[in-house]
Amino acid sequence: MDSPRGRILSIHADAAPPYAVVEVAAAPGCARCASGKGCGAGALAGDERPRSVEALIAHGLVVREGDRVSIQLAPKNLLRAALIVYGLPLTGAIAASAAAYVLGASDPAAVAMALVGAGLGLLIGRLRLRQARCLRDFTPTVTERLALADD
């Protein structure tokens, strides 16, 4: 997936760490997603209006309001986010299905157990994502100025 591009709406240089509010398009950012052959990350979005995102400003990068910029999430953090969002519910469903098999549960009971396991994995993931450290890790960063603001 390509790095999202947007326009800086405001800069909060006095915050620690400094960040900018960036308006980005909500439509799929890569050609594969736009053609319907991608990972499906935008399939449920439905809303293609621009969104405002808080993004940290990379150390040493000088930007100002109105600049066109590129933002990104560190690849290792992107993988961690995917594991939390998709991996925990999947692991819960598999573990509950395995327990249903070991217990000799009927098919409807096994399905119910798998759904409960997926739900627990989803709950654990949501709780994990609400932690301050986790939120900080998954905050995008303005990495490049693409064009200066129109004066």
Side-chain angles (χ1 to χ4, degrees):
M1 183 171 177
D2 293 336
S3 296
R5 297 174 179 200
R7 182 178 57 88
I8 294 182
L9 299 176
S10 63
I11 296 177
H12 302 272
D14 54 338
Y19 69 95
V21 177
V22 181
E23 181 182 60
V24 295
C30 74
R32 288 184 57 86
C33 287
S35 68
K37 299 178 183 174
C39 66
L44 300 176
D47 186 10
E48 294 188 10
R49 290 180 295 180
R51 296 183 185 187
S52 297
V53 176
E54 291 182 359
L56 302 175
I57 300 172
H59 183 69
L61 183 65
V62 177
V63 292
R64 62 184 179 155
E65 290 182 16
D67 285 352
R68 309 270 321 148
V69 295
S70 176
I71 62 174
Q72 73 178 62
L73 190 63
K76 71 175 185 166
N77 290 339
L78 185 59
L79 179 60
R80 284 181 46 223
L83 287 172
I84 291 171
V85 172
Y86 298 114
L88 287 175
L90 180 61
T91 301
I94 291 171
S97 296
Y101 176 77
V102 169
L103 295 172
S106 66
D107 287 347
V111 169
M113 289 177 70
L115 290 173
V116 168
L120 285 173
L122 185 64
L123 178 65
I124 292 168
R126 286 186 60 99
L127 293 174
R128 172 79 174 103
L129 289 172
R130 287 187 178 176
Q131 295 175 350
R133 180 178 171 268
C134 192
L135 288 174
R136 198 171 37 253
D137 287 345
F138 299 139
T139 301
T141 302
V142 175
T143 57
E144 179 182 11
R145 182 171 59 185
L146 303 172
L148 297 172
D150 298 329
D151 290 324

